[in-house]
Amino acid sequence: CAAGTYQASTGQSSCTDASAGYYVDSTAQTAQTACLAGTYNANTASTTSSDCLDAEAGNYVGSTGSDSQTACAAGTYQASTGQSSCTDA
């Protein structure tokens, strides 16, 4: 399988694209790698960890393998990028 794709099972004739929130950075992989908390990736078939984007200020990504960032709730804030939570105001 090419970078950006993987195949977890033997004897298969096709490969699976990396899911949104994940990447596969080398060939012949049997699993995809999750983007870290604080980062997200909306695209499929990504080939590098740099495809995982830092959450913007005012947002957070609370778990690994996320395909989007979440805005901080009312009464909380986040001044920095790439964070996994917001801070009470």
Side-chain angles (χ1 to χ4, degrees):
C1 291
T5 68
Y6 71 101
Q7 180 49 258
S9 303
T10 59
Q12 301 300 306
S13 59
S14 63
C15 299
T16 303
D17 285 348
S19 303
Y22 294 79
Y23 64 94
V24 179
D25 61 2
S26 58
T27 60
Q29 294 300 298
T30 58
Q32 54 188 351
T33 302
C35 293
L36 299 174
T39 69
Y40 69 100
N41 179 8
N43 300 313
T44 59
S46 294
T47 58
T48 176
S49 61
S50 64
D51 290 330
C52 301
L53 305 175
D54 283 348
E56 298 168 354
N59 296 271
Y60 71 99
V61 179
S63 60
T64 62
S66 292
D67 62 4
S68 63
Q69 57 185 351
T70 302
C72 292
T76 69
Y77 71 98
Q78 181 49 258
S80 302
T81 60
Q83 300 301 303
S84 59
S85 63
C86 297
T87 303
D88 289 341

